[in-house]
Amino acid sequence: MDRKPTVEELLTSTLEALDGLLCVIDRNHRIILSNWKAHQWITEEEKRQPSYCYKVFKNLDAPCDYCPPVDTFNDGKPRTYEDRNPIDGSFKEIRVIPIFDDRGEVVNVIEYVQDITKRKQAEELLKLTQEKFSGAFHYSNDAIVLCDLQGKIIDVNQQALSQFARTRDEFLALTIFDLHPGVERDAAKAILAEVINNKYARYEIDIVNKRERVYHAEISSSLFEIADQQIVQFVIRDVTKRKQVEEALKKSEKEYREVFESYLDIYFETDLKGKILTVTPSVKEIVGYDAAELVGQTVFDVYSDATVADEITFRLTDQGRVNNFEVELNKKDGQTIVVSVNANLVHKGDLSVVKGTVRDITHQKKLETERKELESQLARRHKMEALGFLAGGVAHDLNNKLSAIVSYPDLFLYKLPEESPLREPMMTIKRSGEEAAAIVQDLLTLARRGVTAVEIVNLNTVITEYLGSIEFKKLSERRVDVQVKSRLSKRLLNIAGSPVHLSKSLANLVRNAFEAIPLNASPAKLFISTENRSIDQKKRGYDHIKEGDYVVVTVTDSGDGIATRDLERIFEPFYTSKRMGRSGTGLGMSVIWGTVKDHNGYIDVKSKRGKGTTFKLYFPITRAQVTEECTELRNKRIHGQGERIMVVDDIAAQREIAQTILRELGYRVITATCGREAVSYLKNNPVDLLMLDMIMPQMDGLETYKEVLKIHPRQKAVVVSGFAETKNVKQAQKLGAGPYIKKPYLIEQIGSAIRKELDR
């Protein structure tokens, strides 16, 4: 059977089970019973000896000045008080409980002591935190709203009252959701739930105040606990002005970007070494490079002349800017353009940045060059017209005077006997008169009054007859060292003109070429050629040659060449670098000028000192004999059988010529002025064959043919051009196009090519 513990044992185990210190004290402050908790330093011997509470617990020699147990002994009431131990600085909570005897008098008191140091420290920290929070809460520049977990507002600071234009009582009657307008209320509920779950949330939302003013707010929300109550704090900052500034900044940046990206010129920023820091997208249109390709590269890399970089750098460092500095740039595709550079050197602290613009002035420079050339040509033309007017007046008067000089010697010679000594002088007078008459004829040609009869002429015939003439044979006999060669086109087209004047102009050119070649020169060569040539675009030369079909006569010599200063004046009357009177009248080149202009033609001259000279005379072709030629060719099986042919050419004259020839050959003809018009027509109107010009603006012949093949994959076509056979022509033929026809058109050539393609 188990033994029951004694009362003393039960008391001892009970005392040991307590967390705090328990001791029983008599009226003399002597400890008569204790569990000595938290007083491990007291030895067993000290525990057995009489001990006093003030000595043991506070190391005093006498009772405390204020002793709560004494009051309990006196009035019999229990007490609880807090005390700080001077020995270790700990805080204690002490409960004093009286023990009564049978008579109801207090004989002893129980002191139960618990260590509350941690609690006191927590309370002090909480008090300090609350004081700090109270200051931050009440004096914050942001509105602060406190609410419970259901969103009911329980407190606000002074800034919230001002910001929302409400009183504290008005606030306490609201929920946090009432501060959000319309659809934002649902958003506010979701945000409160997020704060409760995640302890924190930060967001921007629209808020409305009492005056119905909606403003944009930045809100920081957090969850914390005060006095065992969970509180949600909303710190609300009015960021309306900031948002307005941000929106204005975005708008400004957008507008700047739009201006930056739509800038037609190139805007750039570089360092002093030319490294590109930024450049507008317009650089792609002008130079061919993407902006991203150039950033980080050196701007001087695209200069055609590397020495220009040194000049620009010097001006920037010396003067701080460059104005309208013209420089040539290499485009990505290898072409060269002329640009005008304007730039300033800007200092940003220790950094120096070059900011500037580049404008493409290639077209402007081209126009300036053309304007100068046109002005020069116009001045030359006016000069020639003035001289021609003068020459015409002189020729008119001389003709009247020469009638007697030329006619009377003939009469006298007719009457004089053969043995008369006067016959020789009279023959001299006659020859001089005839030579003077020839000069008058040249003057009339210069005055552009010499061509009186126009007929159909083939320049091959004119050249062949001249090369077989006595005049040319005498010239060749005097200069047997000069090799004369010719290459005359077998299918040369005709022109309308005067054979006499054309022959004389050719003779003048050949004679000048002979005289330009020094004696015993090596090589000593003269070359004459003819060809048909179609000009699709204006050709710049000594004359500006308009679009059209021409017969071109070329005379090239290996002589000394013509000095640049003389080229501008070679067609003026009596202007020569040779001795006057030794080699003609001084009107030879003027006659050539007048004759070409009388035939509505053009002259081009190329010459280089020591390398010889080339003259090219352009004469418009005539189609006067087209109908007769077509009639003759009908029997050559090149005529059509009513097939539909579309002629696509951007030049009206070319379309009309092709249409006339094709109709005469028996075809039905439709014309289109450009590739787009042709493609549009062919979508709903098939044709048997396309006659397609390769050189057209916007959509050229190759692109047109590609588009047509999408509609009619087996469309037959012939391709034509005024140029030699190009890559585009060959590529079109690889796609399925037929023969290539070179302008100007020859009837047999067109008929044969079209018939061949149609019969393929």
Side-chain angles (χ1 to χ4, degrees):
M1 184 175 180
D2 294 335
R3 186 180 68 84
K4 292 184 177 180
T6 64
V7 173
E8 184 178 353
E9 289 174 340
L10 287 173
L11 179 61
T12 300
S13 62
T14 300
L15 290 175
E16 289 297 325
L18 294 175
D19 291 331
L21 170 68
L22 186 145
C23 60
V24 180
I25 304 173
D26 63 14
R27 286 182 177 273
N28 297 319
H29 305 287
R30 187 173 60 181
I31 300 173
I32 59 176
L33 180 65
S34 177
N35 63 1
W36 302 108
K37 285 291 182 74
H39 290 76
Q40 291 81 358
W41 64 84
I42 297 176
T43 66
E44 291 297 324
E45 186 178 351
E46 288 175 327
K47 292 178 182 179
R48 289 192 294 270
Q49 293 178 0
S51 301
Y52 296 92
C53 62
Y54 55 81
K55 181 66 175 176
V56 173
F57 300 138
K58 294 192 176 182
N59 198 28
L60 297 176
D61 295 328
C64 302
D65 294 334
Y66 171 68
C67 184
V70 172
D71 292 338
T72 299
F73 273 113
N74 292 333
D75 58 18
K77 295 180 179 180
R79 285 175 170 77
T80 299
Y81 68 98
E82 294 179 0
D83 193 18
R84 186 175 185 182
N85 193 322
I87 296 175
D88 58 10
S90 61
F91 286 93
K92 310 294 182 181
E93 181 185 75
I94 305 171
R95 295 180 184 179
V96 182
I97 305 170
I99 300 176
F100 297 95
D101 60 9
D102 295 339
R103 294 173 298 178
E105 294 181 358
V106 179
V107 292
N108 296 107
V109 294
I110 298 173
E111 280 191 320
Y112 183 65
V113 182
Q114 285 184 301
D115 190 337
I116 60 169
T117 303
K118 292 184 178 180
R119 192 186 79 188
K120 291 295 290 184
Q121 290 173 344
E123 288 175 353
E124 288 295 326
L125 180 61
L126 177 62
K127 181 180 178 182
L128 180 62
T129 301
Q130 288 176 333
E131 288 176 354
K132 290 181 178 179
F133 172 77
S134 177
F137 179 78
H138 290 293
Y139 300 109
S140 172
N141 290 326
D142 297 324
I144 301 177
V145 178
L146 304 181
C147 70
D148 61 19
L149 298 184
Q150 287 72 45
K152 187 178 185 325
I153 296 174
I154 58 178
D155 199 4
V156 295
N157 68 351
Q158 187 61 40
Q159 181 61 27
L161 301 179
S162 172
Q163 192 165 306
F164 286 87
R166 297 180 185 274
T167 65
R168 186 175 299 277
D169 291 338
E170 288 174 333
F171 257 116
L172 298 181
L174 301 175
T175 66
I176 192 68
F177 316 124
D178 296 324
L179 304 181
H180 297 77
V183 295
E184 301 286 13
R185 291 174 62 88
D186 293 335
K189 292 178 181 179
I191 292 167
L192 179 61
E194 181 184 349
V195 176
I196 294 172
N197 291 329
N198 301 326
K199 311 296 184 185
Y200 180 80
R202 186 183 183 91
Y203 58 98
E204 292 187 6
I205 201 168
D206 286 337
I207 294 289
V208 62
N209 67 8
K210 185 178 180 180
R211 299 188 181 94
E212 300 299 324
R213 173 181 171 263
V214 177
Y215 60 90
H216 200 73
E218 180 183 79
I219 301 178
S220 297
S221 306
S222 56
L223 179 69
F224 61 94
E225 191 174 291
I226 298 180
D228 297 329
Q229 181 182 3
Q230 287 188 312
I231 304 295
V232 180
Q233 173 181 269
F234 294 87
V235 179
I236 304 170
R237 177 172 295 175
D238 185 353
V239 294
T240 305
K241 290 184 178 179
R242 190 193 76 190
K243 293 297 290 184
Q244 290 172 345
V245 171
E246 288 177 355
E247 289 300 322
L249 181 59
K250 287 180 181 178
K251 182 179 179 182
S252 176
E253 288 177 346
K254 181 182 178 183
E255 291 174 350
Y256 169 76
R257 179 57 55 186
E258 288 174 348
V259 171
F260 187 80
E261 293 182 352
S262 63
Y263 202 56
L264 296 179
D265 293 340
I266 300 172
Y267 172 80
F268 67 90
E269 293 183 11
T270 72
D271 61 17
L272 265 179
K273 294 182 179 179
K275 181 181 178 181
I276 299 173
L277 307 176
T278 186
V279 64
T280 52
S282 53
V283 72
K284 174 75 172 180
E285 186 70 24
I286 296 175
V287 187
Y289 292 95
D290 289 322
E293 291 182 81
L294 292 178
V295 172
Q297 302 300 313
T298 304
V299 68
F300 304 137
D301 292 340
V302 296
Y303 285 2
S304 297
D305 183 356
T307 60
V308 173
D310 297 332
E311 175 67 17
I312 290 179
T313 303
F314 173 77
R315 292 195 184 190
L316 285 170
T317 53
D318 183 58
Q319 304 172 14
R321 64 182 183 276
V322 291
N323 293 326
N324 299 320
F325 190 92
E326 293 185 6
V327 61
E328 289 187 350
L329 299 185
N330 294 323
K331 295 180 65 175
K332 190 174 183 179
D333 61 8
Q335 295 184 48
T336 301
I337 60 172
V338 182
V339 299
S340 175
V341 179
N342 287 276
N344 291 292
L345 183 61
V346 179
H347 299 286
K348 294 181 178 179
D350 296 334
L351 183 65
S352 296
V353 178
V354 179
K355 297 183 177 183
T357 60
V358 173
R359 172 168 293 181
D360 184 359
I361 59 171
T362 306
H363 183 63
Q364 177 184 332
K365 296 296 289 183
K366 180 180 178 182
L367 290 178
E368 287 179 3
T369 301
E370 289 180 352
R371 178 181 57 80
K372 290 178 180 178
E373 289 178 354
L374 287 172
E375 287 176 351
S376 175
Q377 290 177 8
L378 186 61
R380 186 164 62 237
R381 178 180 174 182
H382 287 166
K383 182 190 291 185
M384 294 299 292
E385 287 178 350
L387 290 170
F389 183 78
L390 174 63
V394 172
H396 180 269
D397 291 342
L398 281 177
N399 258 337
N400 295 330
K401 306 298 182 184
L402 283 173
S403 295
I405 298 175
V406 174
S407 300
Y408 280 110
D410 261 348
L411 180 59
F412 292 153
L413 287 170
Y414 179 76
K415 292 183 177 183
L416 286 174
E418 291 293 330
E419 65 277 6
S420 174
L422 295 177
R423 287 189 68 86
E424 188 61 31
M426 197 59 64
M427 286 294 295
T428 301
I429 295 172
K430 181 185 177 183
R431 284 194 297 269
S432 296
E434 289 173 346
E435 291 173 359
I439 294 174
V440 169
Q441 186 58 44
D442 287 347
L443 288 173
L444 288 172
T445 302
L446 174 62
R448 301 182 64 180
R449 300 176 188 174
V451 178
T452 57
V454 175
E455 57 186 84
I456 303 303
V457 180
N458 190 289
L459 284 171
N460 280 353
T461 303
V462 173
I463 295 170
T464 302
E465 289 178 353
Y466 171 72
L467 293 178
S469 68
I470 296 174
E471 179 183 357
F472 177 74
K473 287 181 179 179
K474 289 181 178 179
L475 189 62
S476 299
E477 289 171 358
R478 289 199 299 268
R479 292 295 306 272
V480 293
D481 58 316
V482 177
Q483 298 178 21
V484 180
K485 293 185 178 181
S486 63
R487 186 182 64 219
L488 308 182
S489 173
K490 294 180 179 179
R491 296 181 177 180
L492 194 68
L493 295 172
N494 297 329
I495 69 168
S498 167
V500 174
H501 292 85
L502 292 169
S503 179
K504 187 165 188 176
S505 295
L506 175 65
N508 288 343
L509 272 180
V510 172
R511 184 169 57 252
N512 280 351
F514 266 89
E515 293 176 355
I517 301 172
L519 290 172
N520 302 318
S522 180
K525 295 181 179 181
L526 186 148
F527 182 70
I528 303 171
S529 67
T530 60
E531 62 177 319
N532 299 318
R533 183 175 298 183
S534 181
I535 305 296
D536 288 334
Q537 298 177 343
K538 285 186 178 180
K539 179 179 175 61
R540 292 171 56 191
Y542 195 84
D543 270 347
H544 277 212
I545 304 165
K546 295 181 180 180
E547 300 94 334
D549 294 335
Y550 298 91
V551 170
V552 181
V553 177
T554 303
V555 177
T556 301
D557 67 62
S558 60
D560 286 337
I562 304 171
T564 303
R565 65 177 182 276
D566 294 328
L567 271 177
E568 288 295 314
R569 303 186 62 188
I570 58 174
F571 294 107
E572 294 179 13
F574 310 116
Y575 182 82
T576 179
S577 59
K578 298 170 287 188
R579 287 186 59 182
M580 183 65 72
R582 174 169 293 184
S583 58
T585 63
L587 292 171
M589 298 304 292
S590 303
V591 167
I592 295 170
W593 174 272
T595 299
V596 172
K597 295 306 173 184
D598 276 337
H599 288 76
N600 299 313
Y602 302 94
I603 300 175
D604 195 13
V605 185
K606 300 287 189 233
S607 186
K608 190 173 183 180
R609 293 297 276 176
K611 299 294 183 179
T613 303
T614 296
F615 285 88
K616 288 183 179 291
L617 310 185
Y618 290 76
F619 297 98
I621 67 172
T622 180
R623 299 285 179 174
Q625 292 179 310
V626 166
T627 303
E628 296 176 9
E629 291 178 16
C630 286
T631 302
E632 293 173 4
L633 291 170
R634 287 189 194 279
N635 296 325
K636 296 186 179 180
R637 304 182 63 82
I638 64 170
H639 59 279
Q641 299 172 0
E643 292 94 335
R644 287 166 53 85
I645 297 179
M646 171 174 272
V647 177
V648 186
D649 200 310
D650 61 304
I651 299 176
Q654 296 294 334
R655 293 195 302 273
E656 292 171 4
I657 292 169
Q659 186 177 34
T660 301
I661 293 173
L662 291 172
R663 283 179 176 171
E664 289 294 331
L665 289 173
Y667 295 101
R668 290 180 293 164
V669 184
I670 305 99
T671 62
T673 61
C674 64
R676 296 190 189 281
E677 182 181 336
V679 173
S680 177
Y681 179 86
L682 290 171
K683 287 179 180 178
N684 301 309
N685 303 279
V687 296
D688 296 301
L689 182 136
L690 282 179
M691 187 169 171
L692 193 58
D693 184 29
M694 284 287 101
I695 309 298
M696 292 187 293
Q698 297 179 354
M699 181 186 285
D700 63 18
L702 178 60
E703 289 300 317
T704 302
Y705 191 51
K706 288 179 180 178
E707 293 298 316
V708 170
L709 289 177
K710 294 177 183 177
I711 305 169
H712 304 294
R714 302 183 67 182
Q715 178 66 59
K716 293 184 177 181
V718 295
V719 291
V720 300
S721 175
F723 292 96
E725 196 168 355
T726 62
K727 291 181 179 179
N728 280 7
V729 171
K730 293 178 181 178
Q731 192 170 347
Q733 289 175 328
K734 286 182 180 180
L735 293 174
Y740 160 68
I741 303 172
K742 189 177 185 302
K743 296 179 181 178
Y745 298 128
L746 297 172
I747 300 170
E748 186 174 0
Q749 182 186 26
I750 290 178
S752 298
I754 290 177
R755 191 71 265 161
K756 180 180 179 181
E757 177 66 3
L758 286 172
D759 294 341
R760 178 163 63 95

